[in-house]
Amino acid sequence: MDLLRAHASPEGRILELGSGYGSTAVAAALAGYVVTAVEVSDRADFTAGLAQDLAAGCLTVHKADFYEVQLDQRFDAVCYWNGFGVGSDADQRRLLRRIGSEWLRPGGTALIDVFNPFVWAGWDGNEEHRMPNAAAGYDHELRERVRFDPVTCTVVDTWWEPADPDHPISQTLRCYAPADLMLLLDGTGLFLTGIAVGDDVVSVSPHSGMSSLLREQYEYLAVVTAVADS
């Protein structure tokens, strides 16, 4: 909630895209926001169990594809945590257009986690061996391999169980440097106003040698604002 209050709206209506099990949506509602959450997977079914202490009307969950869902209101802020970059550039631009033209009020702010190509490129070829750790979300022994494509600026993140190496699960993630994100935003009605990288919060201006972005944080928070009414 600190991110919402610091970079977006201290109160009002919030739209969360890709809300997963609903923990952050519920937390926002408990903090006083009126929240609409959109999640396409069956994870959406778990949100009601987390929301039992909420007053009526604080949280609305749509089990739907955010490329297709129809929402009949505008929001003070839109949040998309840990998912931007799944799909093609055209997919990302399509979503950004919806945020800018349909969902954000004029002058509203979107907070979007963006995968950072500089750090992922440095991890190319890395493998990790993770032992079972329920507290960290790993119930099984797992291995992970990261490959980075410098031409398409994408990561292929592959996981498998050592006992079953012939059935790996991979996801492809498109990474965007801030300059690339600004190009992607062109024509969407949105513009990049700042980035938060770890503890660093900076304006969109040259920052040579910024170690948190170059070497430390695998994602950054893009603070994106909708064009205000003239």
Side-chain angles (χ1 to χ4, degrees), residues 91-108:
D91 292 331
Q92 316 311 324
R93 186 182 289 272
R94 179 183 168 199
L95 178 61
L96 291 168
R97 285 198 183 103
R98 295 205 75 186
I99 293 172
S101 65
E102 299 180 38
W103 297 331
L104 266 185
R105 65 165 175 77

Side-chain angles (χ1 to χ4, degrees), residues 14-57:
I14 304 298
L15 172 62
E16 183 177 346
L17 303 173
S19 56
Y21 293 107
S23 57
T24 54
V26 170
L30 288 170
Y33 293 97
V34 178
V35 182
T36 297
V38 180
E39 171 59 43
V40 69
S41 76
D42 288 341
R43 293 177 180 179
D45 299 335
F46 291 85
T47 305
L50 301 176
Q52 294 177 355
D53 295 332
L54 293 178

